[in-house]
Amino acid sequence: MTPVHLVSPGYVLGEIEQAHHEIPGFAARAREYGMQPDAGLWGWGTVHRTERALEELVVEAGKAIVGSADVDFLVVCSTRFPGDAHTHGGFMETVLNGLGLDCPFLGLTLNRCTNLVSGLGVAEALVRSGAYRNVLVITADRCASESARMENFALFSDGAAGCLVTAHPGEYEVLGSASAQDPGALEWHNEISAGLSRQVNELLLAPHGLVPGDLAGVLHNNLYVPIVVMKERLAGFTPAQLDTTNTARTGHCFAADPLINLVDRRTEPGGYYLLAASVPGSRAAMLLRKAPPRP
């Protein structure tokens, strides 16, 4: 099987930075959810919104990643592609022309905020099978309305993130991808399951003789701090493996959070890292190993 690497991770945030208390209806929503008005407790900070079209976010993120790479497949992820079948052709024409690409593509949705990690798993399979050599994966999202920026689990930001999944040696070796689902718990109102996270840990770590404590870092969703810390600790991870800094700095950028957090984290050569994302009823993850310095 072809070795697989992840290279050139990058992201863009909405160009307008806004304090959390400036979100329309913020105080009323906090009261509705019974949340104590304590920014430090929840990790409330700033959110980032855009006035640009979704395809513009995709192109901006992708152009910074592609460089001189010969991309032969594109995966675009989003929780909500604009329009319908009548407009999706134009959307992809804009994306491909903006990125200077002429290659097959796949649109991935329905996995909600695990879209990116799920898309990376698809890219890994395509490269490992030998079907393609350089797969560009990009996720992009923007809130449908300003009133939707606050939920009872996160403050949402607009943004995009992506990377190349490649057969060429690079910054991170991809050791595997895995997911676990509970179809009866996929509805929005259910909680994230630490049990599913433990299942994914077993699928990904055990074949390499690893346990959760062996990971140098877990790159997770930027949900409210008490939620993400509780759920990831129940999954078997320690506070030292988590980093909630971006909860306040970037907010929850839909599926982009794991890559945003990887870009911003100082990673160690030889260290194992987990890109991980959870939504009610589903957990997806990818195991990486940071390549040692080249001689």
Side-chain angles (χ1 to χ4, degrees):
M1 299 290 280
T2 304
V4 182
H5 290 81
L6 185 154
V7 301
S8 304
Y11 67 88
V12 297
L13 300 174
E15 68 276 10
I16 302 166
E17 191 170 332
Q18 185 177 31
H20 64 275
H21 57 79
E22 296 174 333
I23 297 172
F26 176 84
R29 292 295 288 274
R31 288 193 298 271
E32 176 187 342
Y33 295 139
M35 302 179 71
Q36 182 179 344
D38 184 339
L41 170 65
W42 303 108
W44 293 336
T46 57
V47 294
H48 300 259
R49 62 184 180 89
T50 187
E51 294 181 349
R52 292 173 290 173
L54 192 72
E55 53 267 46
E56 293 181 65
L57 292 177
V58 174
V59 170
E60 182 180 349
K63 288 174 73 172
I65 295 162
V66 171
S68 60
D70 184 17
V71 173
D72 51 4
F73 198 89
L74 171 65
V75 178
V76 181
C77 311
S78 183
T79 58
R80 185 185 297 105
F81 287 107
D84 56 21
H86 297 90
T87 60
H88 288 168
F91 175 89
M92 286 308 304
E93 179 183 8
T94 300
V95 167
L96 291 168
N97 287 342
L99 295 174
L101 299 179
D102 181 8
C103 65
F105 59 87
L106 169 71
L108 194 152
T109 187
L110 290 183
N111 297 76
R112 294 172 289 174
C113 293
T114 70
N115 278 334
L116 173 64
V117 180
S118 299
L120 292 173
V122 171
E124 179 201 353
L126 292 172
V127 174
R128 206 175 293 283
S129 70
Y132 297 96
R133 301 283 293 176
N134 294 296
V135 179
L136 174 61
V137 183
I138 305 175
T139 188
D141 275 289
R142 50 176 295 173
C143 283
S145 66
E146 291 307 303
S147 62
R149 287 205 183 275
M150 183 183 188
E151 292 289 348
N152 62 352
F153 57 89
L155 298 182
F156 281 83
S157 282
D158 305 333
C163 63
L164 281 171
V165 178
T166 177
H168 303 289
E171 189 175 2
Y172 295 96
E173 180 184 2
V174 178
L175 299 181
S177 302
S179 63
Q181 297 79 38
D182 177 1
L186 287 167
E187 287 289 345
W188 181 262
H189 64 271
N190 291 307
E191 289 189 11
I192 288 170
S193 168
L196 292 177
S197 299
R198 291 192 293 270
Q199 289 182 38
V200 170
N201 289 347
E202 182 67 19
L203 291 169
L204 272 183
L205 304 183
H208 300 281
L210 301 173
V211 296
D214 293 326
L215 300 181
V218 179
L219 297 315
H220 45 71
N221 297 119
N222 295 329
L223 309 180
Y224 294 142
V225 172
I227 296 174
V228 73
V229 170
M230 177 182 65
K231 294 297 184 181
E232 297 299 340
R233 291 196 68 179
L234 287 171
F237 302 114
T238 67
Q241 293 172 294
L242 311 179
D243 187 349
T244 58
T245 303
N246 278 343
T247 303
R249 191 185 74 84
T250 68
H252 176 38
C253 297
F254 294 81
D257 293 345
L259 268 190
I260 291 174
N261 294 336
L262 180 68
V263 172
D264 289 349
R265 186 169 186 128
R266 188 170 185 170
T267 53
E268 309 162 3
Y272 295 95
Y273 295 88
L274 192 72
L275 300 176
S278 291
V279 295
S282 182
R283 170 78 160 193
M286 172 175 274
L287 179 62
L288 307 175
R289 180 166 56 200
K290 176 73 174 285
R294 293 185 179 181

